Amino acid sequence: MKKRAGGERGKTMRQLVLCDEEVAGAEGFDRAEVIPLHEEVEEPRPARGMRRSGWLLVACGLALLPWLYMLATRLPATATAAHWPVAWVGLDALEALGLIATGLLAARGDRRHALAAAATATLLVVDAWFDTTTATPGGDFATAVAMALGAELPLAALCGRLALRTLSRPA
């Protein structure tokens, strides 16, 4: 066992032993009750506002299902976007900022890198999805698949792993 500063852990352990010995040797006690130091703690129930927010989000997600059906059945097969380059440059700029922020926070040991990593992983997966689904057949599609498999999805997996690993550890 590692000792805390000033021998604090040793004092605590001696006090527990002394307390157990006192209880065991005291008159009127047939036996000492052993209380484990590390009990499994029940997960605290979320606050009412958090529960309400959770149910509101579930309801909104369910409300989107009919909208998805409408989109799938009524959208035209092709469309022209007025600001197509701005959309793609903006998405890739957000990815770059996310990767830089995640890297800097992780290098400094800041646990908030998990938040940046989760957001960046999401952006990378979205980019891979839209690159491959909007590419024209042939060379553009092959390039989109190569970028998705060679860069975007592996980076998304790394960011996702960083986020999950950090969030699964106690603070």
Side-chain angles (χ1 to χ4, degrees):
M1 284 199 274
K2 293 181 182 177
K3 288 190 175 183
R4 293 183 184 173
E8 185 180 306
R9 183 179 202 107
K11 287 180 190 174
T12 304
M13 293 306 287
R14 273 185 262 142
Q15 288 170 351
L16 288 174
V17 171
L18 181 60
C19 182
D20 285 347
E21 289 171 1
E22 286 175 357
V23 170
E27 292 182 24
F29 289 99
D30 294 332
R31 63 178 177 76
E33 183 181 354
V34 178
I35 301 170
L37 295 176
H38 302 286
E39 291 185 20
E40 290 295 319
V41 179
E42 235 181 82
E43 281 290 321
R45 191 169 176 182
R48 186 171 21 167
M50 182 67 73
R51 289 192 311 266
R52 284 183 180 169
S53 296
W55 287 116
L56 175 65
L57 292 172
V58 169
C60 289
L62 291 172
L64 276 175
L65 296 179
W67 177 248
L68 290 174
Y69 176 77
M70 280 186 42
L71 289 175
T73 57
R74 295 192 179 158
L75 278 177
T78 60
T80 303
H83 304 287
W84 189 254
V86 174
W88 286 110
V89 170
L91 179 59
D92 287 349
L94 287 172
E95 290 171 13
L97 286 172
L99 290 168
I100 292 166
T102 301
L104 289 173
L105 290 168
R108 291 189 341 205
D110 191 328
R111 289 179 52 88
R112 291 176 294 179
H113 77 271
L115 300 172
T120 304
T122 303
L123 287 169
L124 288 162
V125 170
V126 167
D127 190 14
W129 172 263
F130 282 106
D131 279 347
T132 55
T133 58
T134 60
T136 57
D140 285 344
F141 181 74
T143 301
V145 169
M147 285 295 294
L149 296 176
E152 293 158 345
L153 295 178
L155 283 171
L158 173 63
C159 288
R161 181 172 176 257
L162 280 173
L164 290 174
R165 210 169 122 200
T166 301
L167 295 175
S168 67
R169 291 186 186 157

